[in-house]
Amino acid sequence: MKIFLDTANLESIKKFNDMGLLDGITTNPSLMSKEGGDPKSAMKEITKIIKGDVSLEVVSTDFSGMIEEGKRLREFGSNVVVKVPMTPDGLKACKSLSSEGIPVNVTLVFSSNQALLAAKSGAKYVSPFIGRLDDIGQDGMNLIREIKEIFSNYDFGTQILVASVRHPMHVVDAAKIGADVVTLPPGVLDKMLGHPLTTIGLDNFLNDWEKLKSSNPDSKI
Ligand code: E4P
Protein backbone atom coordinates (compact mmCIF):
# COMPACT_ATOMS: atom_id res chain seq x y z
CA MET A 1 0.00 0.00 0.00
CA LYS A 2 1.33 3.41 -0.95
CA ILE A 3 1.44 6.19 1.64
CA PHE A 4 0.73 9.76 0.59
CA LEU A 5 0.83 12.74 2.93
CA ASP A 6 -2.35 14.86 2.93
CA THR A 7 -0.90 18.32 3.47
CA ALA A 8 0.65 21.39 1.88
CA ASN A 9 2.94 21.94 4.87
CA LEU A 10 6.50 21.93 3.49
CA GLU A 11 8.10 21.18 6.85
CA SER A 12 6.00 18.02 7.34
CA ILE A 13 6.54 16.98 3.74
CA LYS A 14 10.33 17.31 4.12
CA LYS A 15 10.32 15.54 7.50
CA PHE A 16 8.50 12.41 6.33
CA ASN A 17 10.12 12.41 2.90
CA ASP A 18 13.57 12.39 4.55
CA MET A 19 12.45 9.28 6.45
CA GLY A 20 11.71 7.63 3.10
CA LEU A 21 8.06 7.09 3.97
CA LEU A 22 6.29 9.06 1.26
CA ASP A 23 5.07 7.76 -2.09
CA GLY A 24 3.22 10.98 -2.89
CA ILE A 25 1.26 14.00 -1.70
CA THR A 26 -2.35 15.10 -1.86
CA THR A 27 -3.43 18.70 -1.40
CA ASN A 28 -6.73 20.51 -1.67
CA PRO A 29 -7.75 24.19 -1.60
CA SER A 30 -8.44 24.06 2.17
CA LEU A 31 -5.00 22.59 2.89
CA MET A 32 -3.34 25.21 0.66
CA SER A 33 -5.31 27.98 2.41
CA LYS A 34 -4.28 26.67 5.84
CA GLU A 35 -0.60 27.22 4.96
CA GLY A 36 -1.16 30.72 3.52
CA GLY A 37 1.46 32.37 1.29
CA ASP A 38 1.68 31.99 -2.47
CA PRO A 39 -0.02 28.70 -3.39
CA LYS A 40 1.65 28.55 -6.79
CA SER A 41 5.19 28.57 -5.42
CA ALA A 42 4.24 26.10 -2.66
CA MET A 43 2.79 23.73 -5.26
CA LYS A 44 5.93 23.96 -7.38
CA GLU A 45 8.13 23.37 -4.33
CA ILE A 46 6.16 20.25 -3.35
CA THR A 47 6.55 18.76 -6.83
CA LYS A 48 10.31 19.26 -6.52
CA ILE A 49 10.64 17.71 -3.05
CA ILE A 50 8.55 14.65 -3.85
CA LYS A 51 9.42 12.14 -6.57
CA GLY A 52 6.00 10.43 -6.55
CA ASP A 53 2.59 11.72 -7.54
CA VAL A 54 1.48 15.12 -6.24
CA SER A 55 -2.26 15.82 -6.47
CA LEU A 56 -3.03 19.51 -7.08
CA GLU A 57 -6.67 20.50 -7.20
CA VAL A 58 -8.46 22.72 -9.69
CA VAL A 59 -10.77 25.43 -8.33
CA SER A 60 -12.84 26.01 -11.46
CA THR A 61 -16.14 24.19 -11.54
CA ASP A 62 -16.82 24.31 -15.28
CA PHE A 63 -15.30 21.96 -17.84
CA SER A 64 -13.16 24.45 -19.78
CA GLY A 65 -11.92 26.14 -16.61
CA MET A 66 -10.86 22.77 -15.18
CA ILE A 67 -9.04 21.87 -18.39
CA GLU A 68 -7.15 25.17 -18.46
CA GLU A 69 -6.22 24.98 -14.77
CA GLY A 70 -5.37 21.30 -15.02
CA LYS A 71 -2.95 21.93 -17.87
CA ARG A 72 -1.35 24.86 -16.02
CA LEU A 73 -0.98 22.77 -12.85
CA ARG A 74 0.58 19.97 -14.84
CA GLU A 75 3.30 22.39 -16.01
CA PHE A 76 4.51 22.59 -12.39
CA GLY A 77 5.98 19.10 -12.66
CA SER A 78 5.76 15.81 -14.52
CA ASN A 79 4.58 14.19 -11.27
CA VAL A 80 1.47 16.39 -11.00
CA VAL A 81 -1.86 14.59 -10.85
CA VAL A 82 -4.78 16.92 -11.53
CA LYS A 83 -7.45 16.66 -8.88
CA VAL A 84 -11.01 17.33 -10.03
CA PRO A 85 -14.27 17.17 -8.07
CA MET A 86 -16.77 14.37 -8.58
CA THR A 87 -19.22 16.41 -10.67
CA PRO A 88 -20.49 16.00 -14.25
CA ASP A 89 -17.97 18.61 -15.46
CA GLY A 90 -15.29 17.03 -13.29
CA LEU A 91 -15.83 13.64 -14.94
CA LYS A 92 -15.82 15.24 -18.39
CA ALA A 93 -12.53 16.95 -17.53
CA CYS A 94 -11.19 13.64 -16.16
CA LYS A 95 -11.95 11.89 -19.43
CA SER A 96 -10.43 14.67 -21.51
CA LEU A 97 -7.24 15.16 -19.44
CA SER A 98 -6.71 11.39 -19.09
CA SER A 99 -7.03 10.89 -22.84
CA GLU A 100 -4.23 13.45 -23.26
CA GLY A 101 -2.03 11.47 -20.87
CA ILE A 102 -2.55 13.79 -17.87
CA PRO A 103 -3.30 11.70 -14.78
CA VAL A 104 -6.40 12.64 -12.78
CA ASN A 105 -7.52 12.12 -9.18
CA VAL A 106 -11.31 12.34 -8.76
CA THR A 107 -12.00 13.74 -5.32
CA LEU A 108 -15.00 14.12 -3.00
CA VAL A 109 -16.21 10.58 -3.70
CA PHE A 110 -18.83 9.33 -1.25
CA SER A 111 -20.46 6.36 -3.03
CA SER A 112 -19.48 3.26 -4.98
CA ASN A 113 -21.42 4.49 -7.99
CA GLN A 114 -19.38 7.70 -8.02
CA ALA A 115 -16.18 5.62 -7.83
CA LEU A 116 -17.39 3.43 -10.70
CA LEU A 117 -18.11 6.47 -12.88
CA ALA A 118 -14.73 8.03 -12.05
CA ALA A 119 -12.99 4.79 -13.04
CA LYS A 120 -14.93 4.65 -16.29
CA SER A 121 -13.83 8.23 -16.96
CA GLY A 122 -10.20 7.13 -16.88
CA ALA A 123 -9.20 8.38 -13.40
CA LYS A 124 -5.79 7.27 -12.16
CA TYR A 125 -7.03 7.67 -8.58
CA VAL A 126 -10.43 7.76 -7.00
CA SER A 127 -10.58 9.42 -3.56
CA PRO A 128 -13.35 8.20 -1.24
CA PHE A 129 -13.54 10.37 1.92
CA ILE A 130 -14.03 7.89 4.73
CA GLY A 131 -13.73 10.22 7.75
CA ARG A 132 -16.42 12.56 6.48
CA LEU A 133 -18.76 9.57 6.03
CA ASP A 134 -17.99 8.36 9.57
CA ASP A 135 -18.77 11.90 10.76
CA ILE A 136 -22.36 11.62 9.51
CA GLY A 137 -22.89 8.12 10.90
CA GLN A 138 -22.12 6.14 7.74
CA ASP A 139 -19.43 3.46 7.59
CA GLY A 140 -16.60 4.99 5.53
CA MET A 141 -14.54 1.81 5.49
CA ASN A 142 -17.46 -0.15 4.11
CA LEU A 143 -17.32 2.12 1.06
CA ILE A 144 -13.66 1.13 0.54
CA ARG A 145 -14.61 -2.56 0.80
CA GLU A 146 -17.37 -2.12 -1.77
CA ILE A 147 -15.22 -0.17 -4.25
CA LYS A 148 -12.45 -2.75 -3.89
CA GLU A 149 -14.90 -5.54 -4.70
CA ILE A 150 -16.32 -3.68 -7.71
CA PHE A 151 -12.90 -2.75 -9.12
CA SER A 152 -11.69 -6.35 -8.75
CA ASN A 153 -14.37 -7.44 -11.26
CA TYR A 154 -12.95 -5.23 -14.00
CA ASP A 155 -9.71 -3.90 -15.41
CA PHE A 156 -10.06 -0.14 -14.97
CA GLY A 157 -6.51 0.46 -13.74
CA THR A 158 -7.92 3.05 -11.31
CA GLN A 159 -6.34 3.06 -7.85
CA ILE A 160 -8.34 3.43 -4.63
CA LEU A 161 -6.88 6.36 -2.69
CA VAL A 162 -8.36 6.32 0.81
CA ALA A 163 -8.86 9.95 1.88
CA SER A 164 -10.17 11.83 4.90
CA VAL A 165 -8.27 9.47 7.19
CA ARG A 166 -8.67 10.39 10.85
CA HIS A 167 -6.70 7.82 12.89
CA PRO A 168 -4.25 4.88 12.64
CA MET A 169 -6.99 2.22 12.75
CA HIS A 170 -8.34 3.62 9.48
CA VAL A 171 -4.93 2.77 8.00
CA VAL A 172 -4.90 -0.78 9.37
CA ASP A 173 -8.40 -1.43 8.02
CA ALA A 174 -7.60 0.09 4.62
CA ALA A 175 -4.49 -2.12 4.38
CA LYS A 176 -6.50 -5.23 5.35
CA ILE A 177 -8.95 -4.49 2.56
CA GLY A 178 -6.06 -3.98 0.12
CA ALA A 179 -6.60 -0.31 -0.78
CA ASP A 180 -3.91 0.95 -3.15
CA VAL A 181 -3.11 4.20 -1.33
CA VAL A 182 -3.87 5.97 1.93
CA THR A 183 -3.35 9.70 2.22
CA LEU A 184 -2.56 10.71 5.76
CA PRO A 185 -2.57 13.94 7.72
CA PRO A 186 0.91 14.33 9.33
CA GLY A 187 -0.59 13.74 12.79
CA VAL A 188 -1.87 10.29 11.82
CA LEU A 189 1.51 9.28 10.39
CA ASP A 190 3.17 10.48 13.62
CA LYS A 191 0.79 8.32 15.66
CA MET A 192 1.52 5.28 13.48
CA LEU A 193 5.24 5.60 14.23
CA GLY A 194 5.09 5.58 17.98
CA HIS A 195 4.29 2.99 20.64
CA PRO A 196 4.80 3.47 24.41
CA LEU A 197 6.45 0.03 24.68
CA THR A 198 9.01 1.06 22.04
CA THR A 199 9.93 4.13 24.10
CA ILE A 200 10.10 2.19 27.38
CA GLY A 201 12.00 -0.68 25.76
CA LEU A 202 14.63 1.63 24.24
CA ASP A 203 15.09 3.51 27.54
CA ASN A 204 15.68 0.20 29.32
CA PHE A 205 18.17 -1.01 26.71
CA LEU A 206 20.16 2.21 26.94
CA ASN A 207 20.14 2.24 30.77
CA ASP A 208 21.40 -1.35 30.84
CA TRP A 209 24.07 -0.49 28.29
CA GLU A 210 25.24 2.44 30.46
CA LYS A 211 25.65 0.02 33.42
CA LEU A 212 27.73 -2.35 31.29
CA LYS A 213 29.82 0.55 29.95
CA SER A 214 30.68 1.80 33.43
CA SER A 215 32.41 -1.52 34.17
CA ASN A 216 34.12 -1.54 30.71
CA PRO A 217 35.06 2.13 30.12
CA ASP A 218 37.38 1.45 27.14
CA SER A 219 35.00 -0.80 25.20
CA LYS A 220 33.13 0.83 22.29
CA ILE A 221 30.81 -0.38 19.53
C1 E4P B 1 -7.96 14.07 0.12
O1 E4P B 1 -7.39 14.15 -0.93
C2 E4P B 1 -8.42 15.21 0.90
O2 E4P B 1 -7.45 16.23 0.78
C3 E4P B 1 -8.52 14.95 2.38
O3 E4P B 1 -8.21 13.61 2.69
C4 E4P B 1 -9.78 15.44 3.03
O4 E4P B 1 -9.74 15.12 4.39
P1 E4P B 1 -10.64 15.86 5.49
O5 E4P B 1 -11.99 15.24 5.47
O6 E4P B 1 -9.92 15.58 6.77
O7 E4P B 1 -10.66 17.32 5.14
Side-chain angles (χ1 to χ4, degrees):
M1 184 172 66
K2 282 180 270 189
I3 292 180
F4 289 2
L5 204 62
D6 195 27
T7 187
N9 183 276
L10 296 177
E11 211 179 300
S12 299
I13 291 173
K14 284 178 195 153
K15 169 182 153 184
F16 290 112
N17 192 50
D18 285 351
M19 292 169 69
L21 288 175
L22 299 185
D23 299 298
I25 298 289
T26 52
T27 64
N28 64 38
S30 302
L31 292 171
M32 297 303 311
S33 171
K34 192 175 157 196
E35 297 309 317
D38 172 20
K40 201 167 154 181
S41 63
M43 286 174 176
K44 285 183 182 169
E45 176 85 17
I46 296 170
T47 63
K48 282 187 186 70
I49 300 169
I50 296 290
K51 284 203 175 67
D53 284 351
V54 175
S55 285
L56 303 177
E57 189 161 341
V58 299
V59 287
S60 284
T61 52
D62 63 300
F63 170 72
S64 52
M66 287 189 211
I67 297 293
E68 277 170 33
E69 281 178 16
K71 287 184 176 170
R72 280 203 297 272
L73 291 172
R74 178 71 177 174
E75 282 169 14
F76 295 171
S78 57
N79 53 348
V80 169
V81 174
V82 177
K83 209 171 175 189
V84 303
M86 176 61 220
T87 60
D89 279 49
L91 286 192
K92 203 172 151 191
C94 176
K95 187 97 189 171
S96 170
L97 292 167
S98 301
S99 68
E100 287 187 46
I102 298 177
V104 176
N105 175 357
V106 176
T107 190
L108 291 167
V109 166
F110 294 95
S111 76
S112 299
N113 276 324
Q114 289 181 321
L116 181 61
L117 295 177
K120 286 189 67 67
S121 301
K124 177 168 184 182
Y125 298 107
V126 62
S127 292
F129 279 34
I130 59 168
R132 293 192 195 187
L133 281 172
D134 290 353
D135 289 345
I136 60 158
Q138 292 183 16
D139 185 351
M141 203 51 71
N142 199 42
L143 175 60
I144 303 303
R145 227 168 269 119
E146 211 169 76
I147 298 172
K148 176 77 183 169
E149 188 182 341
I150 292 168
F151 282 12
S152 72
N153 290 335
Y154 306 100
D155 199 16
F156 294 126
T158 303
Q159 296 178 45
I160 303 170
L161 193 165
V162 181
S164 189
V165 170
R166 301 270 200 261
H167 51 73
M169 278 316 291
H170 271 156
V171 184
V172 173
D173 289 337
K176 280 159 80 175
I177 293 167
D180 302 287
V181 191
V182 283
T183 189
L184 308 177
V188 173
L189 192 43
D190 264 327
K191 284 182 190 148
M192 284 168 67
L193 280 164
H195 195 287
L197 289 180
T198 306
T199 312
I200 294 167
L202 183 58
D203 281 350
N204 288 340
F205 285 155
L206 295 180
N207 286 337
D208 290 342
W209 184 255
E210 281 306 313
K211 284 181 215 156
L212 178 65
K213 234 178 71 182
S214 57
S215 51
N216 298 272
D218 296 329
S219 173
K220 270 190 185 162
I221 56 165

